[in-house]
C-alpha cells in the first residue's frame, strides 16, 4: 500500500493501542511539510527562495494529495505573483493536516476512530491501530537505514529528513536514546538525496517550527 509521507508521520505518532497522539505540534508541522514535499516530488509544486508555485494541476490520484493541491492552488491564486510564501502556507495547513490525514488513514482501514469526552464535556478523537502491517514495514525500513546503515531510497530519506527537522527521533525509535540515532538522522538529512525544491519545503517547515517555538517560549517566560 502506498502511503504519503504525512500518513507515515501520523502513523508513527499515534499510540497503537489507545490511538492517542504523541508530539502533536511537531508532528503537525512535519506532516504539513511532508505533504508539500510530496507535491514537489510529484512535479505539481515548485518551491524556490521561500516562494511556492503550482506548476501542474493534474491530479495525482491520491485523495489526500489532490485535496491539498486544490487548496494550495486556490490559496496561491489569492496572492500577488511571487508572493505565495511557503512559510505562510505551512502555517495555514498545519491547523488541519492532522485531522485530514487521520481521516484518510481511517478510510484506508489502518486506524479506527474512537470518540470520547473529557470531563464529560470536551469531545476528543483517538485513532487506535486497526491494521499494523504498514507501520511495521515502515519501522523495518527505518531500522534498516538508521541502525543497520542501509542506503535510503528517496522517500525514506525524505521521511528521515522530516523527522530530524521536527525533532521527532523518538517517534521512530521510542526505546533508544536520541543521541544514539540522531547522528545518522543528521547524516541522511544533509545528504544529496533530493532536489533543491524538496529541500526548500523541508527547510521552510523547520524555520516555521523554530519561530513558533521561540515565540511560545518568550510568551511563557513573560507570564511566568
Amino acid at each position: 500500500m502506498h502511503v504519503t509521507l504525512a500518513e507515515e508521520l501520523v502513523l508513527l505518532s499515534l499510540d497503537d493501542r489507545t490511538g492517542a497522539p504523541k508530539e502533536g505540534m511537531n508532528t503537525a508541522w512535519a506532516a504539513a511539510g511532508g505533504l508539500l514535499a510530496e507535491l514537489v516530488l510529484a512535479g505539481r509544486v515548485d518551491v524556490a527562495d521561500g516562494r511556492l508555485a503550482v506548476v501542474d494541476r493534474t491530479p495525482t490520484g491520491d485523495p489526500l494529495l489532490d485535496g491539498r493541491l486544490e487548496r494550495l492552488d486556490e490559496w496561491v491564486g489569492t496572492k500577488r505573483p511571487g508572493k505565495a510564501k511557503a512559510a505562510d502556507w505551512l502555517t495555514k495547513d498545519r491547523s488541519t493536516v492532522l485531522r485530514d490525514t487521520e481521516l484518510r488513514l481511517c478510510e484506508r482501514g489502518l486506524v479506527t476512530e474512537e470518540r470520547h469526552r473529557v470531563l464529560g464535556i470536551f469531545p476528543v478523537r483517538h485513532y487506535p491501530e486497526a491494521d499494523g502491517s504498514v507501520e511495521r514495514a515502515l519501522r523495518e525500513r527505518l531500522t534498516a537505514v538508521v541502525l543497520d546503515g542501509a542506503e535510503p531510497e528517496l522517500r525514506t530519506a525524505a521521511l528521515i529528513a522530516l523527522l530530524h527537522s521536527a525533532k521527532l527521533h523518538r517517534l521512530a525509535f521510542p526505546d533508544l536514546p536520541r543521541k544514539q540515532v540522531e547522528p545518522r538522522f543528521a547524516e541522511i538529512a544533509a545528504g544529496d538525496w533530493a532536489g533543491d525544491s524538496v529541500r526548500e519545503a523541508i527547510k521552510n517547515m523547520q524555520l516555521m517550527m523554530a519561530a513558533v517555538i521561540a515565540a511560545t517560549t518568550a510568551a511563557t517566560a513573560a507570564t511566568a
Side-chain angles (χ1 to χ4, degrees):
M1 182 186 295
H2 173 79
V3 295
T4 64
L5 294 169
E7 288 171 292
E8 290 180 331
L9 287 158
V10 172
L11 280 175
L12 292 173
S13 78
L14 295 173
D15 184 277
D16 291 344
R17 183 179 61 84
T18 68
K22 295 170 282 187
E23 301 280 359
M25 183 183 78
N26 286 18
T27 301
W29 281 113
L35 287 181
L36 182 56
E38 288 272 14
L39 291 172
V40 171
L41 289 170
R44 302 312 194 265
V45 174
D46 185 63
V47 186
D49 298 325
R51 303 294 194 272
L52 292 172
V54 176
V55 295
D56 184 352
R57 295 173 177 81
T58 306
T60 66
D62 183 286
L64 186 59
L65 290 182
D66 290 341
R68 275 304 178 284
L69 178 60
E70 185 176 344
R71 291 186 205 176
L72 179 56
D73 190 34
E74 291 176 358
W75 180 79
V76 169
T78 68
K79 306 296 180 182
R80 289 183 295 168
K83 298 297 183 180
K85 295 181 179 180
D88 291 345
W89 168 254
L90 290 169
T91 300
K92 175 181 175 64
D93 197 33
R94 184 180 71 92
S95 64
T96 59
V97 67
L98 291 185
R99 176 68 176 149
D100 291 346
T101 304
E102 288 160 350
L103 289 175
R104 180 59 181 149
L105 290 172
C106 284
E107 291 172 358
R108 289 179 179 272
L110 298 179
V111 301
T112 58
E113 183 179 81
E114 293 183 354
R115 301 188 182 192
H116 312 274
R117 286 190 179 272
V118 177
L119 302 177
I121 301 172
F122 306 105
V124 175
R125 292 181 176 91
H126 284 172
Y127 296 90
E129 183 177 88
D131 177 354
S133 60
V134 171
E135 185 180 347
R136 284 195 297 273
L138 168 59
R139 291 189 181 278
E140 288 172 1
R141 276 168 42 216
L142 291 172
T143 296
V145 170
V146 176
L147 300 185
D148 300 336
E151 190 69 21
E153 42 76 39
L154 175 60
R155 293 183 53 78
T156 301
L159 176 64
I160 289 171
L162 287 160
L163 288 164
H164 180 63
S165 296
K167 306 184 188 308
L168 294 172
H169 311 81
R170 287 187 61 81
L171 292 187
F173 297 99
D175 299 325
L176 297 178
R178 176 172 164 174
K179 64 181 180 181
Q180 181 175 337
V181 298
E182 187 173 21
R184 178 61 172 158
F185 273 77
E187 177 188 1
I188 293 168
D192 186 20
W193 53 269
D196 291 341
S197 196
V198 176
R199 291 179 182 278
E200 279 255 0
I202 295 175
K203 183 182 78 172
N204 275 273
M205 177 274 293
Q206 186 178 20
L207 290 173
M208 287 309 301
M209 270 190 59
V212 169
I213 291 171
T216 302
T217 302
T220 302
T223 58

